[in-house]
Amino acid sequence: MNREQDIKDKESFFRAGQKLLEKVHEAESTDRAEVLLSWEEVEKKLASKPSHKLRIRYVLSAVAASAAILLAIGMSLWKTAEEPAVSVSMLEQEIPVLPDDEVVLFARNDRMQLKDESSVRYGEDGKPEVEGQVVKTISGQEKEKDEEVVNQIVVPKGRKVDITFSDGTKMYVNSGSRVIYPALFGKDRREIIVEGEVYLDVKKDPSRPFIVKTKGFEVKVLGTQFNICAYKEDAAASVVLVEGKVEVETTDREKTVLKPNQLVSIQEKGLDIKEVDVFGYICWKDNMMLLNNRIAGEVFDRLSRHYGCRILYDDNIKDIPISGKLDLREKPEDVVNILCQSLYLVYKVDENKNIIISKK
């Protein structure tokens, strides 16, 4: 064999081998027959070289073994990189028909209707403790023992609930919200999915960062207290930090790190950070609403969500500034009456129990 031919053979072998490796990297979407065809291509390229037949077989065996190892490792990594126990895509899944006025907890094979302002606590076995708080239980198909158990809490308008996870983290869930989470967190991270508003007091655990996912952004923490507001019907979402430190990252890979008493607003145009009085953003969990120059439309919308009733108002009212403090334990009509008196407005309740507000 002359030197020129030897170089060509080596180049040919290299190209065929490279092609095979590309197929190995694409193994999750490649049929096994295609990979075998690549081996046949290598063999055909070198079949006419009998003097090196034995050496070639050793080379092919070594390459085959290496490819098998690469394939095994690749598939293992692919398996590891699969979607985690909870994924934002779960928010797209349909929820079974629910009563309009009850908190519903989906836990393993049960669907439990809970009382308003229930407190759910998870034990080390991943089972929720809800004794005395269940209105009704509907049992479904039993899950396999080794199947990942994902729970979900759905809180309608006019209701609230709080949850203590097995790691000690406490979460308050506001009206009109939905949270998806594993019954037991993994060994390397703690993840939940939120749609709506929650306040979290995260138990510190440096080995397992706590990650809150929403459709538009993620919040990563080790141990801290913060509020997330991410209702799908709102134009902007927000994160308010009470203490500790959190990193907020949008789906567009825009990042920021918050300090205590900072709020980040997440909008289409990007992130906007400002200093705030955090009490005004977290007092909802104590049935209060602090009004520091908020506008009437925003306040009435929040009251509608909190009480689970429709509050309708004229466009010429929505931008009126309001300040003060509201006790949300009062009836909706009483709270609206206080606001109307201070703003020189009037209201009425129609036959469908809608509250209609207008100027005098």
Side-chain angles (χ1 to χ4, degrees):
M1 179 187 300
N2 59 39
R3 180 177 176 81
E4 183 178 348
Q5 185 60 43
D6 188 50
I7 291 173
K8 287 182 179 179
D9 288 341
K10 286 180 180 178
E11 289 176 348
S12 178
F13 182 84
F14 177 79
R15 285 195 299 270
Q18 192 174 42
K19 184 176 180 181
L20 173 63
L21 287 176
E22 290 173 357
K23 289 187 179 296
V24 169
H25 289 307
E26 298 171 357
E28 62 270 24
S29 60
T30 302
D31 189 84
R32 182 189 295 261
E34 290 184 35
V35 179
L36 291 176
L37 283 173
S38 293
W39 281 120
E40 291 173 6
E41 188 175 336
V42 173
E43 290 181 321
K44 287 178 181 178
K45 298 282 185 184
L46 301 165
S48 60
K49 310 296 181 293
S51 61
H52 297 276
K53 188 173 183 180
L54 184 59
R55 186 182 66 181
I56 289 167
R57 290 196 180 279
Y58 281 129
V59 171
L60 286 175
S61 298
V63 174
S66 299
I69 293 170
L70 283 171
L71 182 59
I73 293 173
M75 292 301 286
S76 174
L77 290 173
W78 174 76
K79 183 74 175 177
T80 304
E82 284 180 335
E83 284 193 1
V86 292
S87 167
V88 176
S89 63
M90 291 180 176
L91 291 174
E92 305 300 331
Q93 296 174 3
E94 289 188 13
I95 304 176
V97 177
L98 305 175
D100 293 333
D101 58 351
E102 298 289 354
V103 174
V104 178
L105 172 64
F106 295 89
R108 203 169 183 88
N109 64 316
D110 292 333
R111 188 175 81 197
M112 292 174 276
Q113 295 178 21
L114 307 181
K115 296 177 181 177
D116 183 26
E117 298 194 11
S118 289
S119 293
V120 180
R121 178 177 289 274
Y122 281 85
E124 293 182 357
D125 58 359
K127 293 182 180 179
E129 298 172 11
V130 289
E131 188 176 351
Q133 302 179 89
V134 179
V135 177
K136 182 180 179 182
T137 299
I138 301 174
S139 295
Q141 184 176 359
E142 183 67 39
K143 296 181 182 294
E144 298 292 336
K145 288 185 178 180
D146 59 348
E147 187 176 344
E148 192 80 48
V149 179
V150 176
N151 287 187
Q152 180 173 183
I153 191 90
V154 180
V155 183
K157 292 180 179 179
R159 299 288 183 267
K160 290 200 296 291
V161 72
D162 65 80
I163 295 174
T164 302
F165 296 112
S166 59
D167 70 330
T169 293
K170 188 157 188 177
M171 174 177 67
Y172 297 85
V173 187
N174 205 354
S175 303
S177 301
R178 178 182 174 193
V179 185
I180 302 171
Y181 52 92
L184 287 173
F185 292 123
K187 294 180 179 180
D188 60 347
R189 59 183 172 180
R190 298 167 288 173
E191 291 185 328
I192 66 173
I193 309 297
V194 171
E195 185 176 79
E197 185 168 26
V198 300
Y199 176 84
L200 282 152
D201 185 351
V202 178
K203 192 75 171 179
K204 191 171 184 179
D205 185 350
S207 65
R208 294 191 300 170
F210 200 100
I211 301 172
V212 182
K213 296 182 176 182
T214 75
K215 282 187 176 180
F217 61 94
E218 290 185 8
V219 179
K220 300 177 184 178
V221 304
L222 292 177
T224 189
Q225 297 178 34
F226 62 103
N227 193 83
I228 289 181
C229 187
Y231 288 102
K232 61 183 178 181
E233 63 268 23
D234 289 356
S238 66
V239 179
V240 176
L241 183 61
V242 178
E243 64 177 48
K245 185 168 69 173
V246 299
E247 179 187 88
V248 179
E249 180 178 359
T250 69
T251 51
D252 296 329
R253 298 289 184 243
E254 189 175 357
K255 291 184 182 181
T256 189
V257 175
L258 291 185
K259 297 176 182 178
N261 301 311
Q262 285 187 329
L263 172 147
V264 60
S265 178
I266 301 102
Q267 308 173 54
E268 285 188 7
K269 63 181 181 182
L271 303 179
D272 181 35
I273 301 174
K274 62 182 179 180
E275 300 287 329
V276 296
D277 176 0
V278 297
F279 181 74
Y281 295 88
I282 66 173
C283 58
W284 60 264
K285 65 185 181 66
D286 298 314
N287 287 308
M288 294 176 59
M289 184 182 291
L290 189 64
L291 312 176
N292 287 335
N293 253 350
R294 294 200 176 186
I295 59 173
E298 179 188 353
V299 173
F300 289 137
D301 289 345
R302 290 183 69 86
L303 289 174
S304 175
R305 183 182 287 154
H306 175 80
Y307 287 111
C309 64
R310 294 188 70 192
I311 299 179
L312 309 174
Y313 51 86
D314 296 336
D315 283 345
N316 56 4
I317 291 174
K318 66 179 182 180
D319 293 325
I320 299 175
I322 308 177
S323 292
K325 185 167 62 176
L326 299 174
D327 184 350
L328 301 181
R329 288 169 295 192
E330 301 289 340
K331 294 179 180 178
E333 294 88 346
D334 294 338
V335 173
V336 168
N337 184 47
I338 291 171
L339 291 172
C340 286
Q341 287 182 14
S342 63
L343 298 174
Y344 301 101
L345 303 173
V346 293
Y347 79 95
K348 66 178 181 179
V349 180
D350 68 13
E351 63 276 10
N352 296 316
K353 297 184 178 180
N354 298 321
I355 298 176
I356 303 172
I357 302 169
S358 59
K359 284 191 173 182
K360 288 184 177 179

